[in-house]
Amino acid sequence: MKDLLTAPFMVEMIRTTANMYAHGWDERNGGNISLLLDEGEVREYLDTGKVIRNIPTGFAAPELDGRYFLVTGTGKYFKNVQYAPEVNLGVVRLTDGGQTAALLWGYADGGQFTSEFPAHMMSHVARLAVDAQNRVVMHCHPANLLAMTYVHTLDEREFTRTLWQMCTECIVVFPDGVNVLPWMLCGTNEIGEATAEKMKTARLVVWSQHGIYGAGKDLDETFGLIETAEKAAEIYMKIAYLPRINTITDEQMHLLEQRFGVKGREGYLD
Ligand code: 2HA
Ligand code: ZN
């Protein structure tokens, strides 16, 4: 059996949490990540028959029965993951139609997965239905996207168009746009279900006055998705109170669509 701490997915998870902390997106215990693992890759590092303990999830997700995830722990600080991965992360297998998480490694201080586990697992189900390559769900609290939800309409078309207009690459990176939830109580199955519903049509879902969810095929891509949206929000927060003299027009957006072979969300461009 190989050392789990040398697994590429583990190394990448540790680097990603450290990088997200360095970006200021994950103060204190803010943020959480879940990464879907292949059974084959888990078996190189762990005896999958050896369950440390079973943890009830409080929801059902039959689509994910038998699937393995590397997940950040509840109450844990992203800044600390690199120093104590076995305390701050866990590897679980969902069983019982998703109602139980069998812990195979981690949460070594008796902890468990993130309080946002319902939103993560339900979002995996929603994204996998659209894209079989999806592996990552990532949540964090980037300041400018959060700030934007205080001063910009939460209308999804308007919110998306504003972000697209802030940097030329935005429509190329997230042509599917950004979906937006109003303020809701976090850590509940309700916000999990609402997030998953929004994940059916976009890989980015803003939680107003809280943060953002991103989904993608790997950690790098998902990080880059949030990074690009946050950059656009940063530009917006710099210029929102100034008279706007120039912008990226819808005509120019159509040129970007052609040049990069993407299609902006239906009905979002004139
Ligand atoms: O894990 O970010 O939304 C802390 C949070 C809850
Ligand atoms: Zn949060």
Side-chain angles (χ1 to χ4, degrees), residues 23-25 141-152 159 163 206 210-212 226-239:
H23 274 68
W25 299 349
H141 305 159
N144 293 289
L145 280 163
L146 230 147
M148 218 176 133
T149 67
Y150 288 86
V151 298
H152 192 282
F159 203 95
L163 291 177
V206 167
H210 182 138
I212 191 161
I226 293 177
E227 186 181 28
T228 307
E230 170 61 4
K231 178 64 159 289
E234 183 181 355
I235 312 288
Y236 176 75
M237 294 309 297
K238 282 185 199 292
I239 64 154

Side-chain angles (χ1 to χ4, degrees), residues 113-125:
F113 39 73
T114 169
S115 60
E116 305 296 358
F117 203 53
H120 278 256
M121 294 302 110
M122 293 174 193
S123 293
H124 276 286
V125 172

